[in-house]
Amino acid sequence: MRSRVVIANWKMHGSSAFLAEMATGLNAEQDLGATDQVVICPPSVYVQSLRQLLKDTYGVGAQNVNDAAEGAYTGEISASMLVDSGCDWVLVGHSERRQYYAESNDWIAKKAGSALSAGINSVLCIGETLAERQQGKAEQVVSSQLNSMLQLEGIEKRADQLFIAYEPVWAIGTGETASPEQAQEMHGFIRSLLPGELKNVAILYGGSVKPENAAELFAQDDIDGGLIGGASLVLEQFVDICRAMPVTGSTT
Ligand code: PGA
């Protein structure tokens, strides 16, 4: 059985007051449906406080990590520092980081490698732009983004710690979602590229997931959950998305 995961990506949003409000709301929530693991990724500066505020049943993640263990890298944060702050999840290779901070596939794989070695669950974000899709290059782009990760030594032994998020760039924050069929097609393709033990890693969909479209997306054979941006900032919407997970499905 593949795990079913819903992750909130708060991006650069939030404050101490917002943290406290969301933690109170999430802690009071009794029904998160069939979602196995709910994870909140606030800006790094809030990871430690959120870990202290949230019940243990929630995971807390960072939105980025550096591949180096320590050193003169102003502004950067290492995997061991994340662990030390109570963080057990991290996003790597989000399209906004690829676009604004020139993160390459190889660097992203190194970041994931250092997070995985530190025992952090790592979510590799991949996805094509609109131009790439229109040029018929979506599968090529996604497979090269995935390939750098698959080159990591010993990656097959990390199947229980590795997660993939397929986020078509044209669907992020645009209100335009991939149709369930489009998303399933790409998730099936991604799974077909995964070797051996990695075949059963959870593949999450991201890109304008809302309470209205979550159930249909999560019902697809190869969609094991979601990475949620905008809707994760509104407690009721985020909780409704978690509850949209079908009780059966996502079986191996
Ligand atoms: P969105 O963001 O849900 O606001 O489209 C998703 C993401 O970027 O992870």
Side-chain angles (χ1 to χ4, degrees), residues 168 170-171 174-180 182-183 205-210 213 217:
W170 46 273
T174 58
E176 192 176 335
T177 324
S179 67
Q182 276 174 321
Y205 170 80
S208 298
V209 178
K210 304 183 243 345
N213 58 24
L217 286 161

Side-chain angles (χ1 to χ4, degrees), residues 3 13 22 30 36 60 91 96 100 107 118 149 153 158 164 167 178 188 194 200 203 231 244:
S3 61
H13 295 287
M22 288 297 270
Q30 303 292 335
D36 298 312
V60 173
L91 308 179
E96 286 150 17
Y100 303 134
W107 191 25
M149 167 74 79
E153 212 187 304
R158 304 282 189 190
I164 293 168
E167 299 199 299
L194 297 170
N200 287 320
I203 308 179

Side-chain angles (χ1 to χ4, degrees), residues 5-247:
V5 184
V6 175
I7 303 180
N9 174 13
W10 286 1
K11 308 193 181 186
M12 200 168 72
H13 295 287
S15 63
S16 301
F18 179 76
L19 222 66
E21 195 186 314
M22 288 297 270
T24 305
L26 287 166
N27 288 344
E29 199 45 62
Q30 303 292 335
D31 174 21
L32 292 168
T35 300
D36 298 312
Q37 177 75 72
V38 177
V39 181
I40 313 293
C41 300
S44 301
V45 71
Y46 296 125
V47 160
Q48 193 160 22
S49 332
L50 188 63
R51 179 66 288 165
Q52 284 160 6
L53 290 168
L54 269 184
K55 285 200 296 207
D56 286 353
T57 46
Y58 291 101
V60 173
Q63 300 168 14
N64 184 30
V65 63
N66 194 275
D67 58 305
E70 62 178 355
Y73 302 103
T74 301
E76 293 295 290
I77 298 174
S78 72
S80 64
M81 291 169 189
L82 290 180
V83 172
D84 198 29
S85 305
C87 172
D88 45 8
W89 288 78
V90 72
L91 308 179
V92 293
H94 190 280
S95 65
E96 286 150 17
R97 297 211 56 87
R98 292 175 188 266
Q99 185 183 350
Y100 303 134
Y101 307 104
E103 293 193 5
S104 66
N105 287 334
D106 286 349
W107 191 25
I108 291 161
K110 282 188 194 153
K111 286 166 179 250
S114 80
L116 289 166
S117 305
I120 302 178
N121 296 313
S122 304
V123 185
L124 172 70
C125 304
I126 58 180
E128 80 286 357
T129 63
L130 184 58
E132 289 162 344
R133 177 162 280 259
Q134 285 167 343
Q135 290 159 17
K137 290 189 186 152
E139 291 193 345
Q140 189 189 319
V141 168
V142 162
S143 66
S144 65
Q145 291 172 335
L146 192 62
N147 264 333
S148 307
M149 167 74 79
L150 297 179
Q151 305 305 317
L152 280 180
E153 212 187 304
I155 188 69
E156 284 209 32
K157 298 197 190 83
R158 304 282 189 190
D160 54 337
Q161 271 179 274
L162 182 66
F163 298 77
I164 293 168
Y166 169 61
E167 299 199 299
V169 178
W170 46 273
I172 295 179
T174 58
E176 192 176 335
T177 324
S179 67
E181 296 72 28
Q182 276 174 321
Q184 165 55 33
E185 198 183 351
M186 189 58 94
H187 280 232
F189 172 70
I190 292 167
R191 198 173 303 286
S192 76
L193 300 175
L194 297 170
E197 292 290 305
L198 298 181
K199 269 271 177 275
N200 287 320
V201 302
I203 308 179
L204 318 181
Y205 170 80
S208 298
V209 178
K210 304 183 243 345
E212 301 78 53
N213 58 24
E216 217 186 335
L217 286 161
F218 295 167
Q220 303 302 309
D221 282 353
D222 289 294
I223 300 186
D224 305 308
L227 178 54
I228 322 299
S232 75
L233 297 168
V234 182
L235 181 69
E236 297 72 25
Q237 290 190 20
F238 183 64
V239 166
D240 280 350
I241 290 170
C242 295
R243 287 190 191 137
M245 194 69 71
V247 173

